Amino acid sequence: MSGDAAKTDALARLNVLRRSIDNIDAALVHLLAERFRVTSEVGFLKAAHDLPSGDPTREAQVVGRVRDMATNAGLDPDVAQKISEMLIAEAIANHDRIKARRDADA
Amino acid sequence: MSGDAAKTDALARLNVLRRSIDNIDAALVHLLAERFRVTSEVGFLKAAHDLPSGDPTREAQVVGRVRDMATNAGLDPDVAQKISEMLIAEAIANHDRIKARRDADA
């Protein structure tokens, strides 16, 4: 194969891989939307029962479990932890917003 | 329902929601592992054909698409963008590592 043909071939293969990345991203977005739906339910429950927004014991369990699953799945556990901690921080910030709205309505 | 009974009920409901979060996290970890498997393939392809690790046009398309899907799915597009940009940065860092190993072996 000439250099040009090899490059054309590589770019075609790159497009195939990018289609897979796009499909995975679509699945990720919808799972993330669902995760935030569930954590919003948690937020309403916590606000209604005056439970604290954060729960360090539970958060450590979530992150530990995510690291273990990542290792088993061949994903860098540090990358998985970074994403997990970001999701937890966003969920807690959302809990605080739900509680603040509830307190303002009370 | 007494205050204690209501609290017990709330904690039971919290546990149910947390089981859902754990299931969603398991799915997320495995999808993320798969995303990094595909982006590693991209990295090998780019290294083999001396293509640059980053591609700002493609990256902007990925983030824009993720924002649109997030909006449609009821997920905060800024949160989705933050995660998407983190995944892209990790993928590019990995492309650079693959290229550095390839150059060292050459």
Side-chain angles (χ1 to χ4, degrees):
Chain A
M1 196 153 35
S2 74
D4 276 1
K7 198 126 197 168
T8 304
D9 204 54
L11 292 174
R13 173 93 186 115
L14 185 59
N15 278 332
V16 169
L17 294 171
R18 284 176 166 174
R19 291 285 296 272
S20 288
I21 293 168
D22 288 345
N23 284 340
I24 292 168
D25 279 352
L28 282 172
V29 165
H30 288 88
L31 267 177
L32 288 169
E34 190 57 25
R35 193 187 199 279
F36 279 100
R37 288 174 66 88
V38 179
T39 57
S40 285
E41 281 299 300
V42 169
F44 285 112
L45 198 65
K46 286 184 165 181
H49 295 274
D50 285 320
L51 297 165
S53 294
D55 181 340
T57 306
R58 160 73 179 162
E59 288 145 37
Q61 281 167 352
V62 168
V63 172
R65 190 170 165 274
V66 160
R67 286 188 65 94
D68 287 347
M69 286 189 300
T71 303
N72 288 333
L75 171 64
D76 181 341
D78 293 337
V79 172
Q81 175 167 354
K82 217 193 292 186
I83 294 166
S84 184
E85 286 175 343
M86 185 197 281
L87 295 180
I88 290 169
E90 291 292 344
I92 291 174
N94 193 42
H95 293 349
D96 288 335
R97 281 192 294 271
I98 290 169
K99 191 168 164 36
R101 269 201 303 273
R102 190 176 183 277
D103 290 347
D105 290 344
Chain B
M1 196 155 31
S2 74
D4 275 2
K7 198 125 197 168
T8 303
D9 205 53
L11 292 175
R13 174 92 185 114
L14 186 60
N15 278 332
V16 169
L17 293 171
R18 285 176 166 175
R19 291 285 296 272
S20 288
I21 293 169
D22 288 346
N23 284 341
I24 293 168
D25 279 352
L28 281 171
V29 165
H30 288 88
L31 268 176
L32 287 169
E34 190 57 25
R35 193 186 198 280
F36 280 101
R37 288 174 67 88
V38 178
T39 57
S40 284
E41 281 298 300
V42 169
F44 284 111
L45 199 64
K46 286 184 165 181
H49 295 274
D50 285 320
L51 296 165
S53 294
D55 181 341
T57 306
R58 160 73 179 163
E59 287 145 38
Q61 281 167 351
V62 168
V63 172
R65 191 171 164 273
V66 160
R67 285 188 67 94
D68 288 346
M69 287 190 299
T71 302
N72 288 333
L75 171 65
D76 181 341
D78 293 338
V79 172
Q81 176 166 353
K82 217 192 292 185
I83 293 166
S84 183
E85 286 174 345
M86 185 198 280
L87 296 180
I88 290 169
E90 292 291 344
I92 292 174
N94 193 42
H95 292 349
D96 287 337
R97 280 192 294 270
I98 290 168
K99 191 169 162 37
R101 268 201 303 272
R102 190 176 183 276
D103 291 348
D105 289 346

